[in-house]
Amino acid sequence: MKKLYEKNELGFALLWIGVYCAAGVPLRGAFGDESPVMLLGLAVIAGGILAFVKACRLEKKYGLVKWRGKAADYLFFLPLLVLTTGNLWGGVRMAYGGAAQVYAVLSMLLVGFIEELIFRGFLFRALLEQEAPPVAVTISAVTFGVGHIVNLLTGRGGLETLVQVVFAAAWGFLFTFVFYKSGSLLVCIAAHGLVDVFAKFAAADGGSGYGYITATVLTAVLYCAYLSRKPAALQPEAGKQA
């Protein structure tokens, strides 16, 4: 892994995305989010990612540090955190009972960690070395959204999957901009995990409500326009400059 990372950082990022999809989709389809098997599989992937980052001392590069600057400069985190509650806007109801709900919650927290590290950490940082920041942000966000097409393989319908792709791409822009501007991925990991966890406490229409999806897309447009005026904490180590 280290040799691939040093030789081809983009290839390294794509490999991790491939590993996650190849392992996560079959596990989710066969066992479901509430399964201890799913939780174990995600824990192995998350552990592998974290072990690599720590062994190579890449915590700062991949945002496993607190954000930089004055606290007042990061009031722009608030819209992000408000949106995390959107799955609960349609009501609250546990998706599973007993231990199954606990497994599902823990799995969703791991999903937030894994997806932020591979899409915002590995992929975005690799793209930032080769492309102008707006291009890197767009590719990372759109790739994250399009990646949700794999939901078709877990039994979801075509329209539901399309809506999920748009919804995920909007979140992708939000998370990538926050990481790019703050230099920290911790808020993104927390927010991503909460979005997925709250989906397991949503009423029947809570997680798919068009009001929440519309609010997320509109917020992404306005929020990213606002963030674009803030100085960036991350800069490419090589290649094109901002």
Side-chain angles (χ1 to χ4, degrees), residues 103 163 194 197:
Y103 294 143
V163 171
L194 287 174
V197 166

Side-chain angles (χ1 to χ4, degrees), residues 30-137:
F31 299 101
D33 294 336
E34 75 280 16
S35 167
V37 177
M38 177 70 171
L39 177 60
L40 178 60
L42 291 171
V44 170
I45 296 172
I49 291 172
L50 187 59
F52 172 81
V53 171
K54 286 187 170 295
C56 296
R57 298 181 180 179
L58 295 170
E59 292 93 338
K60 182 177 181 181
K61 178 174 182 176
Y62 292 133
L64 298 182
V65 294
K66 69 177 184 178
W67 53 89
R68 306 168 193 173
K70 299 177 182 178
D73 293 335
Y74 294 97
L75 290 178
F76 58 71
F77 287 156
L78 294 179
L80 187 73
L81 297 178
V82 169
L83 278 180
T84 64
T85 66
N87 280 315
L88 304 179
W89 295 352
V92 178
R93 184 175 64 190
M94 290 201 306
Y96 313 103
Q101 184 74 6
V102 176
Y103 294 143
V105 166
L106 294 176
S107 292
M108 293 304 97
L109 291 174
L110 287 175
V111 166
F113 174 81
I114 293 168
E115 292 187 355
E116 287 310 302
L117 259 294
I118 61 178
F119 284 100
R120 251 63 65 186
F122 296 164
L123 181 60
F124 175 64
R125 289 296 275 156
L127 290 167
L128 197 59
E129 303 303 317
Q130 301 179 17
E131 305 289 347
V135 176
V137 168

Side-chain angles (χ1 to χ4, degrees), residues 157-194:
L159 178 59
E160 183 182 1
T161 298
L162 178 60
V163 171
Q164 185 66 22
V165 166
V166 174
F167 179 67
W171 273 111
F173 276 102
L174 289 168
F175 289 142
T176 308
F177 259 98
V178 167
F179 179 39
Y180 178 49
K181 296 297 181 175
S182 71
S184 175
L185 202 57
L186 297 181
V187 170
C188 301
I189 291 171
H192 192 151
L194 287 174

Side-chain angles (χ1 to χ4, degrees), residues 136-167:
V137 168
T138 300
I139 294 176
S140 175
V142 172
T143 300
F144 178 64
V146 172
H148 285 72
I149 288 178
V150 298
N151 287 332
L152 287 171
L153 303 178
T154 63
R156 293 190 180 183
L159 178 59
E160 183 182 1
T161 298
L162 178 60
V163 171
Q164 185 66 22
V165 166
V166 174
F167 179 67

